[in-house]
Structures are given as structure tokens and as C-alpha cells.
């Protein structure tokens, strides 16, 4: 009974590929069945071509490309080639809001509350342009664990009157919550803060930060780049004012699309000064003089839309929604715990929180010669990255097999063994 079930399953899954398989008691089929049943999410592996030839542990940097992107790009070229300029009114103009809603659904945002942009730094600039820094409430509070591009942007706002207050980490892994909350006072205007820290995967207590900000009349800009798609995010439950991130990491959406959620009750009031014709009520009237703002999400956009990237972002967002972030998180916690255990067994330094509630999808491991180890891992088709003060960052996603973690760590051991005589 069980073997016929397995062979039927195998035939359905592998189709013509399984001509040599599918027979009752075929060992290969049984092994595949056992793996798939043990980890239901592995069935999505066939959607990601790169998984056939690499160990892909780098979704913290660039998620694997879904094969649906080939069709999306072909569709884009087809529409441009066949419909020409009519593509704008038939599809492209609406695409920005449509993709915004697809991403928004992953963070429980109301339809129409998410605009799309080219990158997170631009999202921060759009938010900053809604405010005036000349008054008493001009303080901007953030952590030195934020992504540097975002810090560079806010530092540059000092010339516009922003008083930047940076809270420093004491251990290079976490953000000191008490000190951060204490810094958010009645003079604070904005708190741009990463939800998950890119270097260590530490999860900031977004709820506590939003509550403190609201208590004193400040607003929070939550950077969910390293959380959305691997850690559950619910913008409504958090009551967060703004949330932004990009799609190229955990959302498998490729470069060129970032999203900006604006709390709906703020959305119709704010007037971004970083604006353009896309934000106009009648963009095709080409009126002169000041802008007449349209409603969100276009209200927060500005110039001509980034259509190819928007098309490429759709298949990844669809898969993430289908898989479900709760399931992704459940698996991620298990796999990141295993990576930490493997690193501990070898005495390597783990620069990621051990407390699962404080840990995002990445494990940063600093072994000896970690930068060179990273280079050698990539040469061996084990894709990871290296960051100063972090070490090698390994990021399993829903498509990662447990065995890949073991083999990646075994490869590190081998590299270190091979390097040992050279170091002597
Ligand atoms: C938390 C976080 N924010 C922002 C960025 C990138 O910002 P941008 O989209 O402006 O390049 C990254 C990139 O790695 C990141 O990890």
C-alpha cells in the first residue's frame, strides 16, 4: 500500500523524469518521498533554478530567482513590443499599485497603502520630505545597527535642521532597547529603525518602539528589509506609521523595487516635497504650478515608474504569500538553531542572538579567516556573504534542505583544515 502510494506520488511529482523510477520499492523514490514529507516546503525548490547547482544560503542579500521571472520578463517585452505606448494605460501605470498591494498583503497592510520605489534610501527620502526640521520637534533617533545607507541619508538631513541622535550598540549584536526608548522624547519627530538588523539578525522590539514613539508624539519608520518574508510583520498590529524595505532578499523579487507603507490615516494628510507627476491628481493634464496631490499610494511616488523591476517582483511575492510567512518562520527558526549548534560545536563565534524570539533569518558566524573562508565557499558553489563585525552570514530560506546546512559547515571545516598548514 505504502509503496504504491510512494510510486504514485513520485509519478505525479516527477512525471516523465521518473521513467526509471516510480516502481514499487524504488529506493530513490522512497528517499524523495521521505524528504518531501519531512519538509513540505521543499516542493518549492523546483521553482528556483539556481538550487539545482548551488547551495543557496544568501537570501539575506539576494533571494533565489523564481523561474516565473523568465515569463514575467518575456511578458514585459511582449507588451512593450506589441502594445507600445498603450502599455502605460493598459497595464504599466496600475502595476505600481498592484505590486504594492501584493507586498502589502504579506504585512497585513490595507489595499492602497503601499507605494513602490527603487530602493529603501529613496523611501526614507520620501518620508523625510513630508516633514519640517526647523521647529523644536526635529530630533531623529536611530540605532548605529541600522543599514548604513539609511544612516548616511539621515546624517545628511542635519543640514536641513534635523538633530540626529544615534544610539550605540554595546555588543555589536543587539540594539539597547532601554537606551533607545529613553532617547525617544517630546522633541523626537522620527524614529527610522531596522526591524531586523542586517549584520546580526537581531530583531528589534518594534512594538515597544512604536508605543514609546506614539506616547511622545513621534513617528516610526520601520525598515522591514531583513524581516518581511522571513519574520511575520503585521503593520496594523504594530500600529507603525511607515514601513519600508526591498523585495530582492527574502521576497525573491530582484533588484529595483522597494515598498513604502504609510499608515492610512496619515496617507491623505502628508505632503511629500520629494514629489513628481506620478503623485498629481491629473498627471496627464501637465499643469504648471504646485502639485495637487492624488491619494495614496501614488501620492508618495514621483517620476516615471520602474516597470521591468515591478514585473520581476511579482512571482516572488506570489510564492511567499502562497507558502506563508508563519511556515517560513517556523522552518527558519529550526534551521538557524541548527547552524548555531554546528558553529558552537566547532567553537566559532556566533554573532547572532541565541534567543529565537530575537533572531531573524540569518546566522552570522565568525570563524578564523572568515573573509577568505567566505571566498572559498563561494568558489565551491556554496553561496554566502561576509560582513565586517559579523563574519560569514548564512541565511537558509524555505527552499533550503537541512542537509545543505550540514554540508556548508563541513565545507568550512575542510577549508580551515586545508588552510591550517599554509597559516603555519
Ligand atoms: C535593513 C536594510 N535596509 C536597507 C538596505 C538597502 O537599502 P537600499 O535599498 O537603499 O539599497 C539593506 C540592504 O542590504 C538592508 O539590509
Amino acid at each position: 500500500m505504502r509503496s504504491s502510494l510512494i510510486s504514485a506520488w513520485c509519478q505525479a511529482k516527477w512525471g516523465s523524469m521518473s521513467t526509471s523510477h516510480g516502481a514499487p520499492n524504488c529506493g530513490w523514490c522512497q528517499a524523495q518521498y521521505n524528504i518531501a514529507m519531512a519538509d513540505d516546503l521543499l516542493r518549492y525548490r523546483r521553482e528556483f533554478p539556481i538550487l539545482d547547482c548551488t547551495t543557496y544560503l544568501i537570501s539575506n542579500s539576494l533571494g533565489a530567482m523564481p523561474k516565473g521571472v523568465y515569463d514575467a520578463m518575456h511578458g514585459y517585452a511582449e507588451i512593450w513590443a506589441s502594445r507600445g505606448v498603450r502599455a502605460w494605460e493598459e497595464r504599466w501605470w496600475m502595476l505600481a499599485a498592484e505590486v504594492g498591494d501584493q507586498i502589502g498583503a504579506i504585512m497585513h497592510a490595507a489595499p492602497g497603502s503601499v507605494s513602490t520605489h527603487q530602493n529603501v534610501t529613496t523611501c526614507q527620502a520620501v518620508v523625510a520630505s513630508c516633514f519640517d526640521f526647523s521647529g523644536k520637534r526635529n530630533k531623529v533617533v536611530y540605532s548605529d545597527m541600522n543599514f548604513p545607507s539609511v544612516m548616511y541619508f539621515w546624517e545628511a538631513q542635519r543640514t536641513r535642521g534635523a538633530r540626529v541622535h544615534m544610539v550605540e550598540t554595546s555588543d555589536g549584536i543587539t540594539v539597547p532597547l532601554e537606551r533607545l526608548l529613553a532617547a525617544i522624547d517630546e522633541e523626537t519627530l522620527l524614529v527610522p529603525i531596522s526591524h531586523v538588523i542586517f549584520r546580526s539578525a537581531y530583531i528589534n522590539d518594534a512594538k515597544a518602539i512604536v508605543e514609546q514613539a506614539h506616547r511622545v508624539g513621534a513617528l516610526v519608520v520601520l525598515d522591514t528589509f531583513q524581516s518581511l518574508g522571513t519574520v511575520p510583520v503585521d503593520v496594523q498590529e504594530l500600529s507603525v506609521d511607515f514601513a519600508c524595505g526591498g523585495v530582492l532578499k527574502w521576497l525573491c523579487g530582484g533588484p529595483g523595487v522597494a515598498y513604502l507603507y504609510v499608515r492610512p490615516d496619515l496617507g491623505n494628510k502628508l505632503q511629500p516635497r520629494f514629489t513628481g507627476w506620478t503623485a498629481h491628481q491629473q498627471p496627464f493634464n501637465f499643469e504648471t504650478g504646485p502639485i495637487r496631490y492624488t491619494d495614496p499610494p501614488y501620492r508618495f511616488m514621483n517620476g516615471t515608474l520602474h516597470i521591468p523591476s515591478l514585473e520581476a517582483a511579482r512571482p516572488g511575492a506570489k510564492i511567499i504569500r502562497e507558502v506563508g510567512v508563519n511556515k517560513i518562520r517556523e522552518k527558519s527558526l529550526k534551521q538557524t538553531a541548527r547552524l548555531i549548534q554546528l558553529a558552537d560545536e566547532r567553537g566559532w563565534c556566533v554573532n547572532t542572538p541565541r534567543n529565537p524570539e530575537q533572531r531573524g533569518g540569518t546566522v552570522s558566524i565568525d570563524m578564523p579567516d572568515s573573509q577568505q573562508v567566505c571566498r572559498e565557499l563561494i568558489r565551491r558553489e556554496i553561496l554566502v556573504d561576509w560582513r565586517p563585525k559579523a563574519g560569514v552570514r548564512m541565511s537558509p530560506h524555505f527552499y533550503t534542505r537541512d542537509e545543505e546546512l550540514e554540508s556548508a559547515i563541513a565545507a568550512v571545516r575542510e577549508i580551515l583544515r586545508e588552510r591550517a598548514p599554509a597559516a603555519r
Side-chain angles (χ1 to χ4, degrees), residues 60-61 118-124 145-150 194-199 223-226 244-246 248-249 257-258 387 393:
N60 60 299
S61 177
Q118 192 191 336
N119 56 50
V120 162
T121 312
T122 307
C123 296
Q124 305 276 333
M145 297 293 272
N146 271 6
F147 190 75
S149 187
V150 173
S194 289
H195 190 195
V196 171
I197 300 302
F198 80 102
R199 221 187 275 281
D223 178 346
T224 54
F225 213 144
Q226 293 287 359
C244 59
L248 72 155
K249 303 176 190 293
V257 176
R387 291 289 179 269
R393 295 190 302 176

Side-chain angles (χ1 to χ4, degrees), residues 109-121:
S113 60
V114 178
S115 54
T116 52
H117 304 266
Q118 192 191 336
N119 56 50
V120 162
T121 312

Side-chain angles (χ1 to χ4, degrees), residues 208-230:
I209 296 166
V210 171
E211 278 170 8
Q212 170 62 11
H214 288 181
R215 213 171 285 133
V216 296
L219 301 172
V220 174
V221 190
L222 192 66
D223 178 346
T224 54
F225 213 144
Q226 293 287 359
S227 55
L228 196 66
T230 185

